[in-house]
Amino acid sequence: MSVKRERNARNGVKGGGGHILAIDMGTSAAKAAVVARAGEVLGTGIREIGMEHLPYGGAEQDPEEWWRASAAAGREAVRGSGVEPDGFSAVRCTTQWAVTVPVDASGEALCNAISWMDTRGGPHVRRMVGGPVRVAGYSPRKAAGWIRRTAGAPVLGGIDGLGHVLHIKHDRPDIYAATADFLEPMDYLNLRMTGRAAASYATIWPYWLTDNRDVESVRYDDRLLRWAGIDREKMPELLPVDAAVGGLTDAAATELGLRPGTRVLSGLMDTQAATIGAGIVAEGEGYFVVGTTSWLACLARRKRTDLSHQLATMPAALPGRLQVSAEQGPAGRCLDLLKDNLLYDASSPDGPAPPPDAFERLERLAAVVPPGSDGLIFTPWVSGVLAPSEDHFTRSAFFNQTLATTRGHYARAVMEGIAYNLRWVRPHVERFAGSSLARLNFIGGGAQSALWCQIFADVLGVDVGQVGDPRYANARGAALAGFLALGEIEPRDVPAAVPIEATYSPDPAAAAVHDPQFDRFVELYKRNRRIYRRLNRAAR
């Protein structure tokens, strides 16, 4: 028996079936896909999910809506695949992350989930990590302790899991007192499917409460728990990244259209599943995502931290491996805002509603605008800046509008601004990972746009591979990682299971326009950040 199969047998994972139902629940929608061992997507489903924005930086979602949407999308995917219930090896979830659901001892959610957009925990985080002497907002002693154990540190803006737990503890103490487990979304969905509250070595990372130095034996750290003031018994048990949480309950199996007892594998963050879904299994290979949010990621050789640029290694979906993901915040969501709030009126029955093909129309309008959008620059920081310069005060804007600015200019400027943001972070990721990323694969809903693929190639100066079925890349990645956990495929099989529809190469003429435009993009951030701080400090 190989080492891999010994580990899988120990974790209670069994093979068989040849198909995996993968549930990919993002910020705005729950998607599901039935994926075969060779990577074919045989059936899909999708349901939208709402978000509630609250005063003082609040952003919440309804966990019950998560489950309804995920179950309905999963049921639709199973039905559309034509695969019989006995043909499934497992179910695996991948979801948005740094989102917190407190549940009681019976597994019931005690309140809405606190979103990764929520900054209400920021003041509590800043007090917790501070001290008499601060460097970049952190007590040097505490920063060193966190970095040594976790490869990172709590985000000062309070947008991660620990920030959310601190918000609940200090601002909603009744909920904190009743909490049995604080769970990430994928772990909450697994609880709904199996009745077991558990996190994995990969999904506990955004809580900054574990010693991650041995990525195959992650454990809670007493010192970090004491610094944070969090009770250990309120954190879930921890499982390896390739473990089975349990089997589908009768109720969950009925909702999904699967057989009771079907294995449910430990969940993954969307960044971890996306790495596999983009075909990345070796150092020196990278990818980026544009969905509701955006990030650039690659595998890393060793545990590292770069707090000044908001970069840290995290456990990867491949057992024993590490990756780095540079989070950019809202990306495709910026196009939603342009469509729903500026060009149309999605919130009012009396306003001009967005047409069903609004994105396609915007792409066609953007395509006739020249590279550089005739000098119009969009900064995409609607929720503040993350990597490579964490700044929760700075906001988004269109710069250099004129009377000649058209809808096409606005659409193209948004697409280019998101590409400039990725270009801003790319050299920091390359230095951090010790790899030169000469080619990048592109996944997520944005990768459906040939124009956007070309814009990214021109702005980044690298070949861009457009992955097939890009909206379901996370689901495919979760499934392929599941087949890896089951021992049914090897890492070397992954690239062949990820189709590349087209490759886009940089256009030198367009690059000549984007190079100075990018410099102005970064300069706009540097020159305006003090103004944004004065404008938005009162909201924090």
Side-chain angles (χ1 to χ4, degrees), residues 291-292 329-339 342 378-382 396 398 414 418:
T292 301
R333 181 68 178 133
C334 295
L335 270 181
D336 285 332
L337 290 173
L338 176 68
K339 170 178 69 73
L342 296 180
F378 173 74
T379 58
W381 309 308
V382 291
S396 175
F398 286 100
V414 169
I418 292 164

Side-chain angles (χ1 to χ4, degrees), residues 288-470:
F288 63 95
V289 180
V290 174
T292 301
T293 60
S294 177
W295 66 85
L296 171 68
C298 63
L299 295 177
R301 292 183 174 86
R302 59 187 177 88
K303 183 175 80 70
R304 288 195 63 194
T305 306
D306 180 357
L307 282 184
S308 63
H309 297 108
Q310 290 297 297
L311 299 175
T313 50
M314 66 171 70
L318 298 169
R321 304 289 294 278
L322 295 164
Q323 72 174 67
V324 57
S325 297
E327 290 286 333
Q328 304 287 281
R333 181 68 178 133
C334 295
L335 270 181
D336 285 332
L337 290 173
L338 176 68
K339 170 178 69 73
D340 295 336
N341 294 5
L342 296 180
L343 303 183
Y344 303 98
D345 187 355
S347 63
S348 170
D350 301 322
D357 62 343
F359 287 120
E360 290 79 4
R361 294 188 186 195
L362 289 176
E363 183 178 23
R364 289 195 296 271
L365 292 171
V368 301
V369 174
S373 301
D374 287 326
L376 183 68
I377 294 177
F378 173 74
T379 58
W381 309 308
V382 291
S383 295
V385 183
L386 297 177
S389 178
E390 201 255 335
D391 180 346
H392 50 280
F393 294 108
T394 292
R395 289 292 179 268
S396 175
F398 286 100
F399 289 91
N400 206 33
Q401 301 169 84
T402 74
L403 292 174
T405 301
T406 67
R407 290 185 178 190
H409 286 93
Y410 286 119
R412 187 175 188 110
V414 169
M415 299 170 87
E416 291 177 342
I418 292 164
Y420 293 148
N421 211 39
L422 203 69
R423 174 169 170 168
W424 191 21
V425 78
R426 179 184 156 212
H428 300 291
V429 171
E430 289 181 326
R431 283 194 294 271
F432 184 89
S435 299
S436 178
L437 304 176
R439 173 194 171 91
L440 293 168
N441 285 349
F442 185 10
I443 63 174
Q448 297 175 107
S449 166
L451 174 62
W452 219 344
C453 290
Q454 188 61 55
I455 287 173
F456 273 109
D458 296 339
V459 170
L460 298 174
V462 299
D463 285 350
V464 169
Q466 183 183 35
V467 172
D469 299 313

Side-chain angles (χ1 to χ4, degrees), residues 9 230 505:
I230 303 301
S505 297

Side-chain angles (χ1 to χ4, degrees), residues 100-183:
T100 304
V101 187
V103 300
D104 64 18
S106 68
E108 291 293 321
L110 292 165
C111 64
N112 279 346
I114 311 300
S115 168
W116 58 269
M117 298 182 188
D118 195 299
T119 60
R120 289 174 293 180
H124 306 300
V125 172
R126 293 190 284 275
R127 283 194 295 270
M128 177 194 65
V129 302
V133 177
R134 298 189 184 206
V135 177
Y138 298 87
S139 157
R141 178 177 65 89
K142 290 182 178 178
W146 259 298
I147 290 170
R148 186 179 306 115
R149 292 166 176 80
T150 71
V155 179
L156 297 177
I159 60 173
D160 53 25
L162 183 51
H164 302 154
V165 173
L166 290 175
H167 160 60
I168 291 172
K169 178 180 180 180
H170 293 288
D171 302 327
R172 306 166 84 173
D174 55 330
I175 292 176
Y176 182 84
T179 297
D181 293 285
F182 288 103
L183 298 177

Side-chain angles (χ1 to χ4, degrees), residues 50-106:
M51 172 76 71
E52 181 180 7
H53 291 279
L54 303 169
Y56 308 109
E60 298 182 353
Q61 292 185 304
D62 179 1
E64 186 63 35
E65 183 183 13
W66 284 353
W67 172 244
R68 290 195 305 268
S70 297
R75 187 167 58 250
E76 181 180 347
V78 169
R79 187 167 55 243
S81 72
V83 178
E84 294 297 322
D86 286 343
F88 286 85
S89 302
V91 179
R92 193 163 214 187
C93 293
T94 179
T95 70
Q96 56 179 317
W97 56 283
V99 181
T100 304
V101 187
V103 300
D104 64 18
S106 68

